[in-house]
Amino acid sequence: MFTASQLLDKINNHISEIQFTRTPKGLYEPIEYILSLGGKRIRPVLMLMAYNLYREDVASVYDPAIAIEVYHNHTLLHDDLMDRSDMRRGKPTVHKVWNDNTAVLSGDAMLILAIRYMTACPTEHLKEVMELFSLTTLEICEGQQLDMEFESRCDVAEDEYIEMIRLKTAVLLAGSLKIGAILAGTTAEDADNLYNFGMHIGVAFQLQDDLLDVYGDSEVFGKKIGGDILCNKKTYMLIKALERADEKQREELDRWLNAGTCQPAEKIAAVTELYNQLNIRNVCENKMREYYTLAMESLSAVAVAEDRKKELKNLVKLLMYREV
């Protein structure tokens, strides 16, 4: 079996060899740019790892793995535009280097390219893979819409938030694993267990991101701490704080949520202190552990020798235990 780092090297090498020969170059240069920014490539690596649980010829499924990474970067390109983000992985975002219209059009082209790469999978699996891939991409759009709608709501419930992050974040991890399993020709039961493993891990990852935005080390986390607090993002942390706050604490939270202008550091410190009073960190960590446990149960149910699942477990542990 291959290690996660070996599969990452393989997928990075394959991506670096992609050349877009079609014109106009103004459409394809932004695509080459965003793909060159790198990243962890977690989704294609997970797809290859799921395939590798059963088969060794991972090179035969590089195209579907590339499809997943191209699609993921398509969502990032459009997310950056919608969020008006200036930076991505330490570099200016596509709409800043070019313009908004280019970001929209190149992002659309990436979606079509992802579909073309995915349809390169073996014919016997094409229908099942494309049904799953199309459903996954549609669900991610649904999750993004829910996330946008939550911006103008102050009554978002915990179960609504979990469903939103399931759709926006977790389904692509789950779909990547299941596509790898389908391409390897495993049983429907194993494919479903790997899907559930990815789904639960995806929710745990997003809960961890919510936690790290408040309590993380910016050098380790890779972005400034407190960004979600400053933009009043409806995270699990804020939802639970609003749910658990007494009258005085709720008034204080509402005051900061409705503050027109304020000192960023002051707002971050004040809201974090309220989270501390309400024990929100432990609440979030407990919910993370709940989903992590569910994920491990799903992985344990996969009918593969435990030593073959070891690398997948190690990768997830590495991602789950980033410094907080």
Side-chain angles (χ1 to χ4, degrees):
M1 287 194 66
F2 296 101
T3 66
S5 60
Q6 287 173 329
L7 293 173
L8 176 60
D9 287 342
K10 290 177 183 295
I11 207 72
N12 277 334
N13 290 336
H14 201 64
I15 289 174
S16 70
E17 293 170 358
I18 294 175
Q19 294 184 341
F20 298 106
T21 58
R22 297 179 62 86
T23 58
K25 291 299 291 181
L27 177 67
Y28 294 98
E29 285 174 350
I31 299 173
E32 293 172 342
Y33 174 78
I34 193 168
L35 289 175
S36 74
L37 299 183
K40 299 183 182 71
R41 315 281 196 203
I42 294 300
R43 293 149 192 85
V45 167
L46 285 175
M47 197 217 88
L48 293 176
M49 291 181 81
Y51 182 88
N52 198 205
L53 288 174
Y54 307 93
R55 302 182 61 171
E56 301 296 332
D57 59 331
V58 295
S60 68
V61 292
Y62 281 166
D63 278 351
I66 294 297
I68 289 169
E69 184 65 10
V70 170
Y71 171 75
H72 175 59
N73 279 272
H74 145 80
T75 67
L76 298 181
L77 195 156
H78 279 180
D79 282 354
D80 288 341
L81 179 60
M82 286 186 284
D83 295 341
R84 309 310 305 176
S85 299
D86 292 345
M87 303 294 288
R88 166 69 62 182
R89 295 169 183 152
K91 300 288 185 180
T93 49
V94 167
H95 68 273
K96 296 299 290 185
V97 177
W98 285 271
N99 54 57
D100 291 4
N101 289 344
T102 297
V104 170
L105 195 57
S106 293
D108 290 345
M110 291 183 81
L111 175 59
I112 304 305
L113 287 167
I115 293 170
R116 293 188 69 177
Y117 276 113
M118 192 61 77
T119 56
C121 74
T123 305
E124 64 268 27
H125 300 302
L126 181 60
K127 184 175 185 295
E128 187 176 7
V129 165
M130 288 308 300
E131 285 179 350
L132 175 56
F133 186 58
S134 61
L135 174 61
T136 300
T137 58
L138 184 61
E139 287 181 322
I140 290 168
C141 291
E142 293 167 353
Q144 179 67 22
Q145 180 63 34
L146 287 174
D147 195 20
M148 292 190 298
E149 290 177 2
F150 288 176
E151 291 176 6
S152 59
R153 287 180 52 191
C154 294
D155 61 343
V156 179
E158 177 181 339
D159 60 344
E160 290 181 289
Y161 180 74
I162 295 296
E163 174 63 4
M164 183 274 288
I165 62 176
R166 184 189 74 82
L167 292 168
K168 185 176 177 180
T169 301
V171 293
L172 189 53
L173 294 171
S176 299
L177 286 154
K178 187 170 182 177
I179 287 171
I182 292 169
L183 293 173
T186 190
T187 64
E189 184 177 4
D190 265 13
D192 286 342
N193 281 323
L194 282 165
Y195 184 87
N196 290 333
F197 164 69
M199 188 69 72
H200 296 315
I201 282 297
V203 173
F205 282 170
Q206 186 56 57
L207 291 171
Q208 185 193 54
D209 272 358
D210 289 359
L211 182 73
L212 289 172
D213 188 80
V214 180
Y215 294 107
D217 180 332
S218 61
E219 293 299 320
V220 177
F221 190 31
K223 61 182 181 180
K224 292 181 180 179
I225 300 304
D228 291 344
I229 290 174
L230 291 177
C231 67
N232 297 337
K233 188 172 179 64
K234 304 305 188 303
T235 65
Y236 186 80
M237 311 282 284
L238 179 57
I239 290 167
K240 297 305 290 185
L242 290 169
E243 177 187 300
R244 294 163 67 91
D246 60 24
E247 184 177 351
K248 183 179 178 181
Q249 290 165 329
R250 180 59 188 257
E251 287 178 0
E252 178 75 357
L253 268 174
D254 286 341
R255 184 172 72 82
W256 285 109
L257 290 172
N258 297 318
T261 58
C262 63
Q263 291 294 323
E266 185 182 1
K267 180 174 180 176
I268 292 168
V271 174
T272 301
E273 174 55 28
L274 285 165
Y275 288 172
N276 292 339
Q277 293 173 18
L278 295 164
N279 202 29
I280 298 302
R281 178 172 184 163
N282 284 341
V283 171
C284 189
E285 287 175 340
N286 288 338
K287 183 60 70 170
M288 283 167 51
R289 280 191 287 270
E290 177 185 327
Y291 278 95
Y292 179 80
T293 299
L294 289 171
M296 290 302 109
E297 289 173 356
S298 295
L299 184 59
S300 293
V302 174
V304 173
E306 287 302 313
D307 64 322
R308 295 190 71 82
K309 292 184 274 189
K310 184 178 180 181
E311 186 67 18
L312 195 52
K313 289 180 179 179
N314 289 340
L315 175 63
V316 169
K317 286 179 181 178
L318 181 65
L319 293 170
M320 284 300 302
Y321 290 99
R322 290 179 290 174
E323 185 176 342
V324 295

PDB file of all heavy atoms in Angstrom, residues 217-240:
ATOM      1  N   ASP A 217      -3.741  28.666  17.038  1.00  0.00           N
ATOM      2  CA  ASP A 217      -2.496  29.397  16.851  1.00  0.00           C
ATOM      3  C   ASP A 217      -2.475  29.826  15.383  1.00  0.00           C
ATOM      4  O   ASP A 217      -2.485  28.988  14.481  1.00  0.00           O
ATOM      5  CB  ASP A 217      -1.318  28.482  17.169  1.00  0.00           C
ATOM      6  CG  ASP A 217       0.033  29.164  17.008  1.00  0.00           C
ATOM      7  OD1 ASP A 217       0.146  30.108  16.191  1.00  0.00           O
ATOM      8  OD2 ASP A 217       0.991  28.747  17.676  1.00  0.00           O
ATOM      9  N   SER A 218      -2.442  31.130  15.126  1.00  0.00           N
ATOM     10  CA  SER A 218      -2.536  31.624  13.756  1.00  0.00           C
ATOM     11  C   SER A 218      -1.418  31.082  12.874  1.00  0.00           C
ATOM     12  O   SER A 218      -1.610  30.873  11.676  1.00  0.00           O
ATOM     13  CB  SER A 218      -2.536  33.154  13.725  1.00  0.00           C
ATOM     14  OG  SER A 218      -1.341  33.665  14.283  1.00  0.00           O
ATOM     15  N   GLU A 219      -0.237  30.827  13.453  1.00  0.00           N
ATOM     16  CA  GLU A 219       0.884  30.303  12.675  1.00  0.00           C
ATOM     17  C   GLU A 219       0.602  28.872  12.217  1.00  0.00           C
ATOM     18  O   GLU A 219       0.989  28.464  11.128  1.00  0.00           O
ATOM     19  CB  GLU A 219       2.169  30.331  13.508  1.00  0.00           C
ATOM     20  CG  GLU A 219       2.668  31.730  13.845  1.00  0.00           C
ATOM     21  CD  GLU A 219       3.009  32.535  12.606  1.00  0.00           C
ATOM     22  OE1 GLU A 219       3.594  31.947  11.670  1.00  0.00           O
ATOM     23  OE2 GLU A 219       2.685  33.736  12.557  1.00  0.00           O
ATOM     24  N   VAL A 220      -0.095  28.115  13.065  1.00  0.00           N
ATOM     25  CA  VAL A 220      -0.425  26.730  12.734  1.00  0.00           C
ATOM     26  C   VAL A 220      -1.685  26.668  11.886  1.00  0.00           C
ATOM     27  O   VAL A 220      -1.779  25.923  10.909  1.00  0.00           O
ATOM     28  CB  VAL A 220      -0.615  25.895  14.026  1.00  0.00           C
ATOM     29  CG1 VAL A 220      -1.032  24.461  13.687  1.00  0.00           C
ATOM     30  CG2 VAL A 220       0.664  25.898  14.843  1.00  0.00           C
ATOM     31  N   PHE A 221      -2.679  27.484  12.247  1.00  0.00           N
ATOM     32  CA  PHE A 221      -3.983  27.464  11.589  1.00  0.00           C
ATOM     33  C   PHE A 221      -3.893  28.004  10.172  1.00  0.00           C
ATOM     34  O   PHE A 221      -4.672  27.619   9.297  1.00  0.00           O
ATOM     35  CB  PHE A 221      -4.958  28.301  12.427  1.00  0.00           C
ATOM     36  CG  PHE A 221      -6.398  28.188  12.020  1.00  0.00           C
ATOM     37  CD1 PHE A 221      -6.925  27.033  11.479  1.00  0.00           C
ATOM     38  CD2 PHE A 221      -7.251  29.277  12.202  1.00  0.00           C
ATOM     39  CE1 PHE A 221      -8.265  26.943  11.129  1.00  0.00           C
ATOM     40  CE2 PHE A 221      -8.584  29.200  11.864  1.00  0.00           C
ATOM     41  CZ  PHE A 221      -9.090  28.035  11.314  1.00  0.00           C
ATOM     42  N   GLY A 222      -2.986  28.912   9.920  1.00  0.00           N
ATOM     43  CA  GLY A 222      -2.790  29.432   8.579  1.00  0.00           C
ATOM     44  C   GLY A 222      -3.584  30.677   8.251  1.00  0.00           C
ATOM     45  O   GLY A 222      -3.580  31.140   7.113  1.00  0.00           O
ATOM     46  N   LYS A 223      -4.323  31.219   9.217  1.00  0.00           N
ATOM     47  CA  LYS A 223      -5.020  32.478   9.008  1.00  0.00           C
ATOM     48  C   LYS A 223      -5.222  33.162  10.348  1.00  0.00           C
ATOM     49  O   LYS A 223      -5.049  32.551  11.401  1.00  0.00           O
ATOM     50  CB  LYS A 223      -6.349  32.273   8.290  1.00  0.00           C
ATOM     51  CG  LYS A 223      -7.359  31.394   9.017  1.00  0.00           C
ATOM     52  CD  LYS A 223      -8.614  31.219   8.175  1.00  0.00           C
ATOM     53  CE  LYS A 223      -9.662  30.365   8.890  1.00  0.00           C
ATOM     54  NZ  LYS A 223     -10.876  30.189   8.069  1.00  0.00           N
ATOM     55  N   LYS A 224      -5.589  34.435  10.283  1.00  0.00           N
ATOM     56  CA  LYS A 224      -5.739  35.199  11.508  1.00  0.00           C
ATOM     57  C   LYS A 224      -6.861  34.628  12.370  1.00  0.00           C
ATOM     58  O   LYS A 224      -7.885  34.172  11.870  1.00  0.00           O
ATOM     59  CB  LYS A 224      -6.024  36.660  11.177  1.00  0.00           C
ATOM     60  CG  LYS A 224      -4.845  37.379  10.535  1.00  0.00           C
ATOM     61  CD  LYS A 224      -5.189  38.841  10.250  1.00  0.00           C
ATOM     62  CE  LYS A 224      -4.003  39.558   9.617  1.00  0.00           C
ATOM     63  NZ  LYS A 224      -4.337  40.975   9.305  1.00  0.00           N
ATOM     64  N   ILE A 225      -6.646  34.692  13.675  1.00  0.00           N
ATOM     65  CA  ILE A 225      -7.636  34.204  14.618  1.00  0.00           C
ATOM     66  C   ILE A 225      -8.709  35.274  14.825  1.00  0.00           C
ATOM     67  O   ILE A 225      -8.422  36.474  14.870  1.00  0.00           O
ATOM     68  CB  ILE A 225      -6.963  33.861  15.967  1.00  0.00           C
ATOM     69  CG1 ILE A 225      -5.904  32.769  15.765  1.00  0.00           C
ATOM     70  CG2 ILE A 225      -7.992  33.423  17.007  1.00  0.00           C
ATOM     71  CD1 ILE A 225      -6.414  31.508  15.137  1.00  0.00           C
ATOM     72  N   GLY A 226      -9.967  34.824  14.946  1.00  0.00           N
ATOM     73  CA  GLY A 226     -11.053  35.740  15.251  1.00  0.00           C
ATOM     74  C   GLY A 226     -11.813  36.264  14.052  1.00  0.00           C
ATOM     75  O   GLY A 226     -12.723  37.087  14.202  1.00  0.00           O
ATOM     76  N   GLY A 227     -11.498  35.781  12.871  1.00  0.00           N
ATOM     77  CA  GLY A 227     -12.187  36.261  11.673  1.00  0.00           C
ATOM     78  C   GLY A 227     -13.675  35.992  11.698  1.00  0.00           C
ATOM     79  O   GLY A 227     -14.480  36.841  11.286  1.00  0.00           O
ATOM     80  N   ASP A 228     -14.070  34.813  12.199  1.00  0.00           N
ATOM     81  CA  ASP A 228     -15.498  34.487  12.279  1.00  0.00           C
ATOM     82  C   ASP A 228     -16.215  35.403  13.260  1.00  0.00           C
ATOM     83  O   ASP A 228     -17.367  35.791  13.040  1.00  0.00           O
ATOM     84  CB  ASP A 228     -15.689  33.026  12.714  1.00  0.00           C
ATOM     85  CG  ASP A 228     -15.256  32.030  11.646  1.00  0.00           C
ATOM     86  OD1 ASP A 228     -15.097  32.445  10.477  1.00  0.00           O
ATOM     87  OD2 ASP A 228     -15.076  30.848  11.984  1.00  0.00           O
ATOM     88  N   ILE A 229     -15.552  35.753  14.343  1.00  0.00           N
ATOM     89  CA  ILE A 229     -16.145  36.655  15.333  1.00  0.00           C
ATOM     90  C   ILE A 229     -16.360  38.034  14.725  1.00  0.00           C
ATOM     91  O   ILE A 229     -17.428  38.641  14.883  1.00  0.00           O
ATOM     92  CB  ILE A 229     -15.251  36.747  16.585  1.00  0.00           C
ATOM     93  CG1 ILE A 229     -15.278  35.421  17.353  1.00  0.00           C
ATOM     94  CG2 ILE A 229     -15.706  37.896  17.495  1.00  0.00           C
ATOM     95  CD1 ILE A 229     -14.321  35.365  18.535  1.00  0.00           C
ATOM     96  N   LEU A 230     -15.371  38.525  13.999  1.00  0.00           N
ATOM     97  CA  LEU A 230     -15.459  39.874  13.438  1.00  0.00           C
ATOM     98  C   LEU A 230     -16.587  40.012  12.418  1.00  0.00           C
ATOM     99  O   LEU A 230     -17.220  41.070  12.325  1.00  0.00           O
ATOM    100  CB  LEU A 230     -14.131  40.267  12.785  1.00  0.00           C
ATOM    101  CG  LEU A 230     -12.952  40.489  13.736  1.00  0.00           C
ATOM    102  CD1 LEU A 230     -11.696  40.810  12.956  1.00  0.00           C
ATOM    103  CD2 LEU A 230     -13.270  41.605  14.727  1.00  0.00           C
ATOM    104  N   CYS A 231     -16.854  38.952  11.660  1.00  0.00           N
ATOM    105  CA  CYS A 231     -17.908  39.042  10.640  1.00  0.00           C
ATOM    106  C   CYS A 231     -19.222  38.417  11.097  1.00  0.00           C
ATOM    107  O   CYS A 231     -20.136  38.219  10.288  1.00  0.00           O
ATOM    108  CB  CYS A 231     -17.442  38.424   9.326  1.00  0.00           C
ATOM    109  SG  CYS A 231     -17.171  36.654   9.370  1.00  0.00           S
ATOM    110  N   ASN A 232     -19.330  38.123  12.402  1.00  0.00           N
ATOM    111  CA  ASN A 232     -20.576  37.577  12.972  1.00  0.00           C
ATOM    112  C   ASN A 232     -21.016  36.280  12.293  1.00  0.00           C
ATOM    113  O   ASN A 232     -22.213  36.020  12.155  1.00  0.00           O
ATOM    114  CB  ASN A 232     -21.713  38.596  12.900  1.00  0.00           C
ATOM    115  CG  ASN A 232     -21.434  39.837  13.714  1.00  0.00           C
ATOM    116  OD1 ASN A 232     -20.649  39.816  14.650  1.00  0.00           O
ATOM    117  ND2 ASN A 232     -22.080  40.941  13.354  1.00  0.00           N
ATOM    118  N   LYS A 233     -20.058  35.475  11.853  1.00  0.00           N
ATOM    119  CA  LYS A 233     -20.394  34.231  11.165  1.00  0.00           C
ATOM    120  C   LYS A 233     -21.103  33.278  12.108  1.00  0.00           C
ATOM    121  O   LYS A 233     -20.709  33.109  13.259  1.00  0.00           O
ATOM    122  CB  LYS A 233     -19.127  33.579  10.608  1.00  0.00           C
ATOM    123  CG  LYS A 233     -19.404  32.390   9.707  1.00  0.00           C
ATOM    124  CD  LYS A 233     -18.117  31.919   9.037  1.00  0.00           C
ATOM    125  CE  LYS A 233     -18.380  30.710   8.137  1.00  0.00           C
ATOM    126  NZ  LYS A 233     -19.282  31.036   7.013  1.00  0.00           N
ATOM    127  N   LYS A 234     -22.167  32.665  11.609  1.00  0.00           N
ATOM    128  CA  LYS A 234     -22.939  31.731  12.420  1.00  0.00           C
ATOM    129  C   LYS A 234     -22.205  30.401  12.499  1.00  0.00           C
ATOM    130  O   LYS A 234     -22.477  29.456  11.760  1.00  0.00           O
ATOM    131  CB  LYS A 234     -24.338  31.533  11.813  1.00  0.00           C
ATOM    132  CG  LYS A 234     -25.141  32.801  11.607  1.00  0.00           C
ATOM    133  CD  LYS A 234     -25.292  33.604  12.880  1.00  0.00           C
ATOM    134  CE  LYS A 234     -26.263  34.760  12.703  1.00  0.00           C
ATOM    135  NZ  LYS A 234     -25.897  35.701  11.617  1.00  0.00           N
ATOM    136  N   THR A 235     -21.257  30.327  13.389  1.00  0.00           N
ATOM    137  CA  THR A 235     -20.505  29.097  13.615  1.00  0.00           C
ATOM    138  C   THR A 235     -21.167  28.295  14.733  1.00  0.00           C
ATOM    139  O   THR A 235     -22.059  28.787  15.440  1.00  0.00           O
ATOM    140  CB  THR A 235     -19.059  29.412  14.029  1.00  0.00           C
ATOM    141  OG1 THR A 235     -19.083  30.079  15.299  1.00  0.00           O
ATOM    142  CG2 THR A 235     -18.372  30.289  12.997  1.00  0.00           C
ATOM    143  N   TYR A 236     -20.690  27.066  14.908  1.00  0.00           N
ATOM    144  CA  TYR A 236     -21.188  26.252  16.012  1.00  0.00           C
ATOM    145  C   TYR A 236     -20.938  26.950  17.337  1.00  0.00           C
ATOM    146  O   TYR A 236     -21.779  26.910  18.245  1.00  0.00           O
ATOM    147  CB  TYR A 236     -20.500  24.888  15.985  1.00  0.00           C
ATOM    148  CG  TYR A 236     -21.034  23.912  17.005  1.00  0.00           C
ATOM    149  CD1 TYR A 236     -22.213  23.216  16.760  1.00  0.00           C
ATOM    150  CD2 TYR A 236     -20.367  23.686  18.209  1.00  0.00           C
ATOM    151  CE1 TYR A 236     -22.718  22.315  17.690  1.00  0.00           C
ATOM    152  CE2 TYR A 236     -20.861  22.787  19.138  1.00  0.00           C
ATOM    153  CZ  TYR A 236     -22.037  22.106  18.875  1.00  0.00           C
ATOM    154  OH  TYR A 236     -22.534  21.222  19.805  1.00  0.00           O
ATOM    155  N   MET A 237     -19.795  27.624  17.443  1.00  0.00           N
ATOM    156  CA  MET A 237     -19.435  28.330  18.679  1.00  0.00           C
ATOM    157  C   MET A 237     -20.462  29.409  19.010  1.00  0.00           C
ATOM    158  O   MET A 237     -20.954  29.493  20.147  1.00  0.00           O
ATOM    159  CB  MET A 237     -18.056  28.974  18.530  1.00  0.00           C
ATOM    160  CG  MET A 237     -16.975  28.063  18.004  1.00  0.00           C
ATOM    161  SD  MET A 237     -16.330  26.936  19.245  1.00  0.00           S
ATOM    162  CE  MET A 237     -15.308  28.053  20.191  1.00  0.00           C
ATOM    163  N   LEU A 238     -20.801  30.239  18.040  1.00  0.00           N
ATOM    164  CA  LEU A 238     -21.737  31.330  18.276  1.00  0.00           C
ATOM    165  C   LEU A 238     -23.141  30.796  18.546  1.00  0.00           C
ATOM    166  O   LEU A 238     -23.841  31.284  19.446  1.00  0.00           O
ATOM    167  CB  LEU A 238     -21.763  32.274  17.079  1.00  0.00           C
ATOM    168  CG  LEU A 238     -22.733  33.458  17.184  1.00  0.00           C
ATOM    169  CD1 LEU A 238     -22.453  34.300  18.422  1.00  0.00           C
ATOM    170  CD2 LEU A 238     -22.667  34.315  15.918  1.00  0.00           C
ATOM    171  N   ILE A 239     -23.546  29.789  17.782  1.00  0.00           N
ATOM    172  CA  ILE A 239     -24.888  29.215  17.967  1.00  0.00           C
ATOM    173  C   ILE A 239     -25.052  28.661  19.380  1.00  0.00           C
ATOM    174  O   ILE A 239     -26.075  28.896  20.039  1.00  0.00           O
ATOM    175  CB  ILE A 239     -25.140  28.121  16.907  1.00  0.00           C
ATOM    176  CG1 ILE A 239     -25.301  28.765  15.518  1.00  0.00           C
ATOM    177  CG2 ILE A 239     -26.376  27.286  17.259  1.00  0.00           C
ATOM    178  CD1 ILE A 239     -25.245  27.768  14.378  1.00  0.00           C
ATOM    179  N   LYS A 240     -24.051  27.948  19.872  1.00  0.00           N
ATOM    180  CA  LYS A 240     -24.140  27.386  21.219  1.00  0.00           C
ATOM    181  C   LYS A 240     -24.053  28.480  22.288  1.00  0.00           C
ATOM    182  O   LYS A 240     -24.696  28.378  23.344  1.00  0.00           O
ATOM    183  CB  LYS A 240     -23.040  26.351  21.440  1.00  0.00           C
ATOM    184  CG  LYS A 240     -23.131  25.135  20.535  1.00  0.00           C
ATOM    185  CD  LYS A 240     -24.484  24.434  20.604  1.00  0.00           C
ATOM    186  CE  LYS A 240     -24.730  23.728  21.899  1.00  0.00           C
ATOM    187  NZ  LYS A 240     -26.000  22.963  21.900  1.00  0.00           N
TER     188      LYS A 240
END
